[in-house]
Amino acid sequence: MRKHKLIQLLVLVIALVPSILMAQAVEKNSLSLTLKYYNDNNVTHHLLVLAKSKIDGKFQTVPNIPVEFYITSDADKANLIGKGKTDDRGQAVIEIPPTAKVEWLKSPNQNFVVVGAATKKFDEGRGELAITKAKIKVDTADGRIVNAKVVALVDTTWTPIAAVDVIVGVRRLGGILNVNETQTYPTDSSGGVTAEYKRDSLPGDQKGNITLVASVVDNETYGNLSSELVVPWGTKSVYMTNFDHRTLFARRGYSPLWLEILAYSIVVAVWSVIIFLLVQIKNLKKLGVE
Amino acid sequence: MEKSAENKIIEDLLPQKFGKQGTIWVISLLAVCALGFYAYCRQLYYGLEVTALRDYASWGIYISNFVFFVAISLVGSLITAVLRLTDVHWSTPLTRIAEIIAVSAISFAGLIIIVDMGRPDRFYNLFTHGRLQSPIIWDVIVITTYLFISLLLLYFPLLPDLKIMIGFKERNGKYLQKLYEFLGSFWKNKPEQFKITDKAINILSVTIIPVAFAIHTVTSWLFATTYRPGWDSTNFGAYFISGAFLVGAGGVLIAMYVFRTHYKLEKYITDEHFNKMGKIVVLLALVYLYFNINEFLVPAFKMKKAEEEHLMGLFTGEFSPIFWFAISASMLVPILILIFKKGRTPKWAFFAGILVVVGSWFKRFLIVTPTLLHPFLPMHDVPKNYMHYFPTWEEWAIAGGSLAGALLVITFFARIFPIVPIHETIIETDSHEKA
């Protein structure tokens, strides 16, 4: 009888093991979504979401998470402004579409929501963002001085903002190179900063043009603002190529002259001898006929 | 010289029909060629995928074979040109053997390059899109030139012999008679004709030496102009030429023994010929050994990081059995055999010749492939089999087929034409008697 009970217990354990394992397999990680706002040159606006999750005790970016972006703090279908999927860096980006204009113009402040769909490994995630609409303008003055001004929308008026950190630099290889040794400038009471351009020998394009950038990065109230201005302050870049030069590594027909002379002289000399000898065979034939 | 003695020489040296052994030999070679052809058809159909050539070892035994053929072809200039210009007469019976080895080898060197191409139908691109700056183009030019010069050097001394052979109409048969007449019916033994041929042979002997040096130097530059461990050497031209002379001389030793025993030419290819050729092989092996010591000892002394893996692979690693076999077989053992007078007898010299040729083939493989397996910038995440190279049966069959093909050309040449020059032998025997 006792033996019989033991068998029953064993069968029960075996039957339960897969479901216990399954239960462990479906345990999901929570998803953290960070939403950021970007004002690009006061022309376009875009949102970026960064998906992260704590995996093996570390926060790691999460790719392939379907995300939906909403304007206002209500994740209602009527407020949907775009969809995306996080890339290998855990990021997804959308431009705020013109269809959001009505909602956008309602208030100087704006809320956004992003919702990350639940997947096999992750729970549904949600991120929110509230910004005050602002913009930055960049200009120059004599003596290679760069001026930038940050203004925010208060009621219906663009008002200068003080104590906002501004980076003033030059667009370089996808990043920003500061115009001098100062990393950031806080705006004064008029919302302005002034920076002296000290990068004298920076290469520009063929006309010497470089792109100045003034930007506010990850500001809690205003988000990311940037403005660009093209100025002829760089050195002119002359496009140099030796594609058409005669070199040992050039393409067909562009070998160095000395090599061509040498090679063809040798070929002509040796083959002249061969042709001469072939003529001698003809002479031998003639002698044989005579 | 008495007419009977002259007739005896002619009778001895006229080409002979294949006997039983000869027929078996030819059938065997044809069978190997046929297998090679079948393997090549598979390669054409399926592409280079049937080979073990991959992104690392893109040159395998085909290119090793090519370098081997180019090397052995150098013997034509050694025996025919160098010895003729230095007024060495004992080599006269060996000149035609050397020249037909040269012609056959250089023809197959050209063919094996085409075999190595995945798309042989694009061969013409070498000419339409080739760059004069590339050693590959120089190789194409110089191989073609060397083939023509070797053919002429084979043809001019053959003319008086053709005249002799045309006189044996019944023995020749219909087709051979037509061939002989096509090639040499105009030869009338006139003094003016001899004057022209002597002059032509002298010109060719002078011309072939720089061309022969160029062919092997340029082949060495295919490697040396590439910055890779094992190839990055200023020594490569001389290293290749010395090795080429050695393998060519080894090949002549083998051919001398085979023709002497099979055609019973003991009176013409004498023990003294083996003695002298043996001495030449010792000298050439010593020179090649010197270049090998230079080529391996100096980099090994410095043991630069990039070279280390390659060198250790040769000395103690994956390729060490082949490396030490090649060094021993192509140089050390032949020197030990041939340095003694007893070793310069026909049988020993034949054995030494085989060692030289086989060892030299593997030496060419070691020059070509191990370097490719050790690039300066290893590829990321390549399959493991890319890092090793062992030829597939198709590669062995094609390489074997090309070697058999080269031997077949030499065999058929010896069946059609006198392998020892008849006219020159008569003249030299006559002058010896008069002296």
Side-chain angles (χ1 to χ4, degrees):
Chain A
M1 186 70 187
R2 199 172 184 182
K3 194 178 173 186
H4 198 66
K5 277 189 175 176
L6 268 172
I7 291 169
Q8 279 182 334
L9 188 68
L10 193 65
V11 169
L12 188 70
V13 168
I14 291 169
L16 284 174
V17 163
S19 56
I20 292 165
L21 289 174
M22 286 295 283
Q24 283 176 343
V26 293
E27 195 174 296
K28 292 181 176 182
N29 287 328
S30 63
L31 192 65
S32 156
L33 298 179
T34 309
L35 191 57
K36 292 181 177 183
Y37 162 79
Y38 290 83
N39 176 343
D40 312 314
N41 218 15
N42 304 319
V43 177
T44 56
H45 309 262
H46 72 264
L47 296 173
L48 178 146
V49 65
L50 178 64
K52 281 189 172 180
S53 182
K54 200 168 187 179
I55 302 166
D56 301 331
K58 288 179 190 171
F59 268 109
Q60 295 181 28
T61 55
V62 184
N64 297 320
I65 299 292
V67 284
E68 291 182 343
F69 296 84
Y70 298 90
I71 196 163
T72 75
S73 53
D74 183 12
D76 187 74
K77 214 170 186 182
N79 299 326
L80 183 70
I81 54 171
K83 292 179 179 179
K85 198 176 214 182
T86 55
D87 60 15
D88 290 343
R89 294 175 298 167
Q91 295 179 349
V93 176
I94 62 150
E95 279 200 10
I96 299 173
T99 50
K101 188 178 176 183
V102 177
E103 188 58 44
W104 176 261
L105 291 176
K106 278 182 183 172
S107 160
N109 301 314
Q110 189 65 57
N111 291 313
F112 296 99
V113 175
V114 65
V115 177
T119 63
K120 282 182 182 173
K121 291 181 182 173
F122 300 99
D123 287 326
E124 185 184 278
R126 185 183 170 96
E128 294 187 4
L129 176 69
I131 56 140
T132 299
K133 290 164 196 170
K135 58 186 178 183
I136 188 168
K137 289 178 182 174
V138 63
D139 204 353
T140 58
D142 286 346
R144 296 198 169 183
I145 300 296
V146 185
N147 294 320
K149 190 172 184 177
V150 180
V151 290
L153 197 59
V154 179
D155 296 328
T156 54
T157 314
W158 288 103
T159 311
I161 307 295
V164 175
D165 284 337
V166 176
I167 295 172
V168 181
V170 179
R171 182 74 68 198
R172 213 80 202 148
L173 299 173
I176 296 175
L177 177 71
N178 293 87
V179 290
N180 55 41
E181 58 279 0
T182 308
Q183 297 295 315
T184 57
Y185 296 84
T187 53
D188 55 21
S189 56
S190 66
V193 296
T194 300
E196 190 182 354
Y197 179 83
K198 289 184 177 175
R199 306 277 180 188
D200 289 338
S201 55
L202 211 61
D205 63 11
Q206 281 176 302
K207 292 175 182 172
N209 287 334
I210 56 168
T211 305
L212 292 175
V213 185
S215 65
V216 174
V217 178
D218 285 343
N219 187 283
E220 284 183 2
T221 314
Y222 308 109
N224 295 276
L225 315 173
S226 73
S227 181
E228 295 182 355
L229 181 69
V230 175
V231 290
W233 292 355
T235 54
K236 290 180 182 175
S237 296
V238 180
Y239 177 64
M240 300 280 282
T241 176
N242 52 16
F243 190 68
D244 289 333
H245 291 190
R246 287 182 174 274
T247 58
L248 281 173
F249 44 85
R251 65 192 194 279
R252 176 183 160 77
Y254 284 82
S255 46
L257 277 177
W258 63 262
L259 179 68
E260 292 204 355
I261 293 166
L262 196 70
Y264 290 133
S265 303
I266 293 170
V267 171
V268 168
V270 174
W271 277 88
S272 301
V273 172
I274 293 173
I275 292 164
F276 170 75
L277 293 169
L278 292 173
V279 173
Q280 294 309 304
I281 292 174
K282 208 179 168 188
N283 290 340
L284 285 173
K285 280 186 178 178
K286 266 187 195 170
L287 283 168
V289 176
E290 280 168 10
Chain B
M1 183 192 258
E2 284 180 25
K3 202 68 187 167
S4 58
E6 192 178 312
N7 288 341
K8 177 78 176 103
I9 293 173
I10 293 172
E11 185 60 32
D12 288 345
L13 298 182
L14 276 177
Q16 297 166 32
K17 285 183 178 172
F18 294 135
K20 197 179 171 185
Q21 281 180 332
T23 310
I24 293 169
W25 168 248
V26 169
I27 290 171
S28 309
L29 290 178
L30 283 170
V32 177
C33 285
L35 182 66
F37 182 72
Y38 170 68
Y40 184 57
C41 288
R42 276 179 56 82
Q43 184 181 302
L44 278 181
Y45 187 79
Y46 294 108
L48 283 175
E49 192 195 12
V50 300
T51 69
L53 301 171
R54 294 291 180 268
D55 287 10
Y56 265 45
S58 52
W59 285 353
I61 57 169
Y62 295 155
I63 298 297
S64 311
N65 230 10
F66 163 73
V67 180
F68 173 78
F69 277 133
V70 172
I72 207 164
S73 75
L74 212 64
V75 74
S77 66
L78 170 72
I79 304 287
T80 315
V82 177
L83 296 183
R84 186 187 287 270
L85 288 174
T86 48
D87 217 19
V88 175
H89 291 288
W90 63 263
S91 66
T92 304
L94 313 180
T95 52
R96 198 159 288 155
I97 293 175
E99 270 310 316
I100 187 58
I101 290 176
V103 168
S104 168
I106 204 67
S107 307
F108 276 86
L111 278 178
I112 204 78
I113 282 288
I114 298 171
V115 166
D116 188 60
M117 298 173 76
R119 292 287 303 268
D121 51 306
R122 293 180 180 173
F123 181 65
Y124 72 94
N125 284 347
L126 258 180
F127 302 96
T128 54
H129 295 87
R131 293 164 63 247
L132 190 65
Q133 302 97 309
S134 165
I136 290 175
I137 286 294
W138 308 343
D139 224 21
V140 171
I141 295 169
V142 84
I143 283 175
T144 316
T145 308
Y146 188 68
L147 176 62
F148 270 84
I149 294 178
S150 296
L151 280 171
L152 287 172
L153 203 49
L154 190 64
Y155 181 61
F156 275 106
L158 193 64
L159 286 168
D161 289 359
L162 286 169
K163 162 85 178 160
I164 293 167
M165 285 187 294
I166 287 169
F168 292 88
K169 196 173 177 179
E170 283 183 18
R171 181 189 166 122
N172 295 336
K174 192 178 159 189
Y175 295 110
L176 279 183
Q177 184 69 15
K178 272 191 178 176
L179 178 71
Y180 297 148
E181 283 175 3
F182 172 74
L183 289 171
S185 62
F186 56 85
W187 186 264
K188 304 291 182 202
N189 279 343
K190 286 184 178 179
E192 296 93 329
Q193 287 182 318
F194 276 114
K195 202 177 163 187
I196 289 174
T197 47
D198 286 346
K199 190 179 164 189
I201 291 167
N202 279 335
I203 290 172
L204 282 167
S205 300
V206 173
T207 313
I208 201 170
I209 293 172
V211 174
F213 271 62
I215 189 174
H216 223 62
T217 306
V218 167
T219 304
S220 80
W221 287 350
L222 293 178
F223 305 97
T225 51
T226 313
Y227 183 46
R228 298 191 76 143
W231 293 352
D232 180 30
S233 165
T234 53
N235 209 20
F236 247 41
Y239 171 55
F240 267 49
I241 288 171
S242 61
F245 275 136
L246 174 63
V247 60
V252 168
L253 274 182
I254 298 171
M256 280 164 64
Y257 182 81
V258 171
F259 287 125
R260 172 185 144 116
T261 49
H262 188 71
Y263 290 133
K264 310 217 180 315
L265 299 174
E266 288 84 354
K267 262 172 69 184
Y268 306 95
I269 302 174
T270 62
D271 288 3
E272 192 53 22
H273 285 107
F274 283 94
N275 181 35
K276 285 176 172 162
M277 271 308 293
K279 286 177 183 172
I280 288 178
V281 170
V282 170
L283 173 69
L284 293 170
L286 284 169
V287 173
Y288 191 45
L289 187 63
Y290 165 77
F291 278 110
N292 269 276
I293 291 169
N294 262 290
E295 202 52 45
F296 292 108
L297 193 66
V298 176
F301 188 83
K302 291 182 280 188
M303 206 53 102
K304 286 187 272 184
K305 199 69 199 165
E307 301 256 359
E308 187 182 352
E309 201 180 343
H310 168 68
L311 287 171
M312 294 314 290
L314 292 178
F315 296 159
T316 56
E318 186 184 357
F319 293 102
S320 60
I322 306 176
F323 178 77
W324 293 113
F325 168 75
I327 295 284
S328 309
S330 66
M331 286 167 271
L332 299 178
V333 179
I335 290 171
L336 286 174
I337 293 172
L338 296 170
I339 205 160
F340 300 106
K341 196 167 184 186
K342 279 187 179 174
R344 295 194 294 273
T345 54
K347 275 186 184 167
W348 279 107
F350 171 64
F351 177 62
I354 288 177
L355 283 178
V356 167
V357 171
V358 174
S360 296
W361 191 92
F362 281 102
K363 188 76 177 60
R364 300 306 177 279
F365 174 75
L366 290 172
I367 290 170
V368 174
T369 303
T371 286
L372 291 168
L373 297 172
H374 300 111
F376 279 127
L377 284 174
M379 290 171 204
H380 191 60
D381 285 340
V382 288
K384 273 199 170 174
N385 67 331
Y386 279 33
M387 296 177 191
H388 304 278
Y389 172 76
F390 190 82
T392 59
W393 78 262
E394 282 93 345
E395 285 177 273
W396 285 118
I398 292 169
S402 67
L403 289 167
L407 290 173
L408 210 54
V409 169
I410 298 168
T411 306
F412 278 118
F413 182 87
R415 168 65 191 89
I416 298 169
F417 300 106
I419 199 69
V420 172
I422 302 174
H423 177 76
E424 283 181 79
T425 307
I426 292 169
I427 299 291
E428 284 200 2
T429 312
D430 194 30
S431 61
H432 273 299
E433 283 175 5
K434 280 177 186 167

